[in-house]
Amino acid sequence: MQSPITLTVNGEAKALPAPASVADLLASIGLDGRKVAVERNLEIVPRSLWPVTPLESGDELEIVAFIGGG
Amino acid sequence: MDGIITTDDSWEVAGRRFRSRLIVGTGRYKDLPETAAAIEASGAEIVTVAVRRVNTSDPSAPLLQDFVSPERYTYLPNTAGCHTAQEAVRTLRLAREAGGWNLVKLEVLGPPPYLYPDMAGTFEAAAALIADGFEVMVYCADDPVAAKRLEEMGCVAIMPLGAPIGSGMGVVNPYMIRAIKAQARVPVLVDAGIGTASEAAFAMELGCDAVLLNSAIAHAGDPVRMARAMKAAVGAGRDAFLARRMPRDYRADASSPTKGLIAG
């Protein structure tokens, strides 16, 4: 059995069973993917590539959405 | 603006046409229902939005889109809180991915307490964003030279501050706002500083194409009522500009005829 993948997601540590994609990460958090954008190691991951973008230990992910602002 | 009165007084930015000349922010409200009610009352068609990390510990928390529909309103993502060109470009690339459009509001801010536009960072970010296919509405200093340069770079709207963000000080340098408008071939909006309805009307009377504000509504005692006031003020100011105001004179010029006075 593979050891879990350890990630930093929005600045906080998170572990996922290996193997895992960006889509798996969003599903594990329970986010509605239609309303967010994902950056992996400073690179945007287009929504269409979420299922085929594998995560690796040490990856830094940012998951953002629109909020109220001026 | 050529001053000709037409029944359709709409305006255009980056090929998109709008009837409302009021753009409102979606921040600083008590809650999302109040945000939605105030925006509705303002009549705005464009709303500014910020990009922030989602709360991964509460994924079912309501999102702005649930209350302010992106189908009904044109979302204008901003770079509020960004103090470098790199942060601003990164933020808007994420916004484009989240929303799928490229019309954005760029702001690169200097330090508190004024959060004055950092023009060196603004130029750098504008160049990078335009090269990357964005249509950039740019928050900037009330500096006609900088404003012209941003236009020549390809920014689609020039948005000088009336006064510092959230200050409610009004349009403190109307002469330079007018100068920026006089030379511009793209829309000019006063962005930031408006505190109450008369100040929004004043910005429009200067000839601005539109006004962008947030705190003036969100921090009013009754935001929904102030939103309504702003809608009326922007319309009144626009009409007053198109109507071309009477000249000023220190002397009186009686409105009633002097002929036929009973004591004559």
Side-chain angles (χ1 to χ4, degrees), chain A residues 39-61:
Chain A
E39 187 190 66
R40 173 177 173 250
N41 300 332
L42 301 178
E43 293 282 333
I44 302 260
V45 184
R47 191 170 280 116
S48 59
L49 298 183
W50 289 351
V52 294
T53 302
L55 296 172
E56 293 171 20
S57 278
D59 280 356
E60 299 201 2
L61 291 118

Side-chain angles (χ1 to χ4, degrees), chain B residues 122-139:
Chain B
T122 301
F123 284 123
E124 185 186 344
L129 290 167
I130 291 165
D132 197 13
F134 284 93
E135 293 174 308
V136 179
M137 301 176 71
V138 60
Y139 176 64

Side-chain angles (χ1 to χ4, degrees), chain A residues 26 29-37 47 50, chain B residues 54 59-60 63 66:
Chain A
L26 291 172
I29 297 170
L31 280 169
D32 181 348
R34 292 169 300 174
K35 294 170 181 172
V36 302
R47 191 170 280 116
W50 289 351
Chain B
V54 298
S60 59
L63 291 172
D66 301 328

Side-chain angles (χ1 to χ4, degrees), chain B residues 93-119:
Chain B
R93 284 184 177 144
L94 278 164
R96 179 165 64 183
E97 178 61 21
W101 54 85
N102 57 10
L103 184 66
V104 295
K105 171 183 166 179
L106 170 65
E107 53 187 303
V108 181
L109 304 178
Y114 301 114
L115 299 178
Y116 202 78
D118 177 330
M119 293 310 295

Side-chain angles (χ1 to χ4, degrees), chain A residues 14 16 21-33 50 63, chain B residues 59:
Chain A
K14 181 167 177 70
L16 274 185
S21 66
V22 170
D24 294 330
L25 171 65
L26 291 172
S28 82
I29 297 170
L31 280 169
D32 181 348
W50 289 351
I63 307 172

